[in-house]
Every structure is written in C-alpha cells, then in structure tokens.
Amino acid sequence: MADDSRNITQSTIGSYTAVGDSFTEGVGDPGPDGTVVGWADRLAVLLAERHAAGQPPGDFRYANLAVRGRLLDQIVAEQVPRAVELAPDLVTFCAGGNDILRPGTDPDAIAERFEAAVADLTSAVGTVLVCTGFDTRGVPVLRHLRGKIATYTAHVRAIADRYDCPVLDLWSLRAVQDRRAWSEDRLHLSPEGHTRIALRAAQVLGLEPPADPDEPWPPQSRRLPSEVRRENIQWARQHLVPWIGRRLRGESSGDERAPKRPDLLPLR
C-alpha cells in the first residue's frame, strides 16, 4: 500500500472539522449519553492528546458537521461552506457513498462534483483528508456494487494526488473486512470498526497511534452454513428491507437532523 501520509506534524493541527454522512457522524458507535461517537470523534481525541507540546489540551478545537443519509450535493451545499467559514487546520471530507449505493448513479459524475468540493476546501483549509470507499466483496447485496465503488475510489485517489491531500484508504484496510468491524445493519461500522478507522486516520496524519489499526482479530469458531443463512435472512428483514423502503419513498434517516457539533469548540 502506498504511503498516503504527508509531512503533517501534530503541532500544525490545532483545529479539526469533520464533513460527511453517517460514516463520519458515527452511526453504529453509540455513546453513553445516547449520541453517537464514531471515528471522527475518536480521531479528534487522538489529535487533542498529541497537540503541540506546551499548549493546554483545551486549545484544540473540533467541529463535526456530518449528518446521516446526506448525499454528496447536500454535503457540498450544507457542510462545505461551513467548513470553509470555520477554516480549521484539518478537514476530513468523506462523501459520495450514499450516491454510489443508489441505482443508476454514475461514479464518474459523482467524482467530478467531489473534486469541485475538494478544490473549494483546499483553497481555505491547511489539510484536507479524503476517504476512499470500502471493499464490499464480503457484504451481501453490496458486493454487487464493488466495481462501482472501486471506480469511485480510483477517482478519489487521483483527486487526492492532484490536490496533495492525504488519503484515508478504507479499501485496503484489512481489519474492516472482518464481520466484527460492522454493526448489525452491515451498513455502518461497529464501535471497534470506528476505532480501527480512527487509528488508521491518525497514522495517515503522521501521528503514532496507540494501537495497530490492522491488528488481527481474535480467532472465532467456524459457523455452520445454516447459521449464516439464518443471520442473512434476519438481517434482510430487520435492516435491508426498511432501508430499501426508505429509498423508494425518498426518505432519509437524516431528515430533520442537524449536525451534532456545528461549531469549532474546545474538545472536553
């Protein structure tokens, strides 16, 4: 895997804004107060802990503008201008996944709109980290979209090269190929999955994370094919069918939701 880190030192990142959809909002990683946590929040903690020596931890500021269900154009319209206005040292920009999952969408056209947003962000922000798609080869239903996701991922990497952006390469992260990295709905990461992503993002940004994001998972006993079939049927009933229904009705899980952390505030 290519080294996607740039010469970014912890002293250059005193503020961070996360932009995106449910992945960045943190769905699948519930916090003790009922809100979601997620990899971006976990990355913010790592950045704050490693903030420049001699500066109080409270000087590090963090905003999370991500809202579940958002399509790329919504993110560009609602979140990117706010991120430009906040002008943090770092923006993580992960978007386009919900567009790719919709039938009939063109990854080439989505990538063109993604690049325009990257151009806006890099003109105002010190560092813009972008995310590739996940490899869905082991995911029921979504495995059929693997080629489409791969095409979009190739575009994201090319855009990152053009704008000198570090890349959070989710496609090559082996740890998230394990079923335990995903929540029950198989669309969002589990708490451990979010943790692995945060550790990898820290690596990309030049930090020394407290653990290896690709550390092998503990061995599991082999499941019978009948158990796997029962799990797949239960998943389809509980999660896949409602998800398809929302798409057909033009509904989103993020309708009427606001960002959980809209302002750059000290991280407590």
Side-chain angles (χ1 to χ4, degrees), residues 43-257:
L43 173 61
V45 171
L46 294 175
L47 291 169
E49 289 175 347
R50 290 158 178 77
H51 192 36
Q55 295 188 22
D59 282 356
F60 182 86
R61 296 174 300 141
Y62 170 56
N64 190 317
L65 309 178
V67 177
R68 65 193 69 181
R70 291 298 193 261
L71 298 170
L72 175 61
D73 289 345
Q74 293 173 312
I75 292 170
V76 170
E78 300 167 4
Q79 299 177 35
V80 169
R82 178 59 176 160
V84 169
E85 179 184 9
L86 293 173
D89 298 322
L90 168 68
V91 165
T92 55
F93 180 41
C94 304
N98 288 323
D99 300 74
I100 293 294
L101 294 179
R102 298 204 168 198
T105 53
D106 179 1
D108 299 329
I110 297 168
E112 288 180 6
R113 304 199 301 275
F114 182 89
E115 180 166 5
V118 169
D120 289 341
L121 286 168
T122 54
S123 68
V125 176
T127 299
V128 178
L129 180 147
V130 297
C131 306
T132 72
F134 290 98
D135 185 350
T136 59
R137 59 184 165 181
V139 184
V141 181
L142 297 185
R143 66 166 62 98
H144 302 294
L145 299 175
R146 190 180 185 220
K148 194 174 176 183
I149 297 168
T151 299
Y152 187 61
T153 287
H155 280 302
V156 169
R157 295 195 65 91
I159 292 165
D161 286 343
R162 288 195 286 273
Y163 292 87
D164 196 30
C165 297
V167 179
L168 178 53
D169 188 352
L170 306 175
W171 185 279
S172 66
L173 186 61
R174 295 187 301 274
V176 296
Q177 293 299 323
D178 191 285
R179 177 69 186 85
R180 288 167 285 183
W182 295 88
S183 65
E184 288 185 358
D185 68 6
R186 305 186 186 182
L187 293 171
H188 301 101
L189 294 167
S190 66
E192 179 63 21
H194 278 285
T195 298
R196 299 292 186 110
I197 298 297
L199 293 171
R200 178 59 188 141
Q203 279 186 335
V204 171
L205 293 170
L207 279 68
E208 186 66 37
D212 179 6
D214 243 343
E215 180 180 354
W217 291 80
Q220 273 189 318
S221 58
R222 188 177 182 85
R223 293 178 300 160
L224 296 173
S226 59
E227 293 176 312
V228 174
R229 284 195 296 271
R230 282 197 301 270
E231 287 183 5
N232 288 340
I233 292 170
Q234 184 178 12
W235 166 74
R237 288 173 177 168
Q238 292 185 353
H239 301 289
L240 179 61
V241 172
W243 180 76
I244 292 174
R246 288 195 301 271
R247 293 297 177 273
L248 293 176
R249 294 189 299 270
E251 298 174 356
S252 167
S253 57
D255 288 345
E256 309 303 324
R257 294 188 71 92

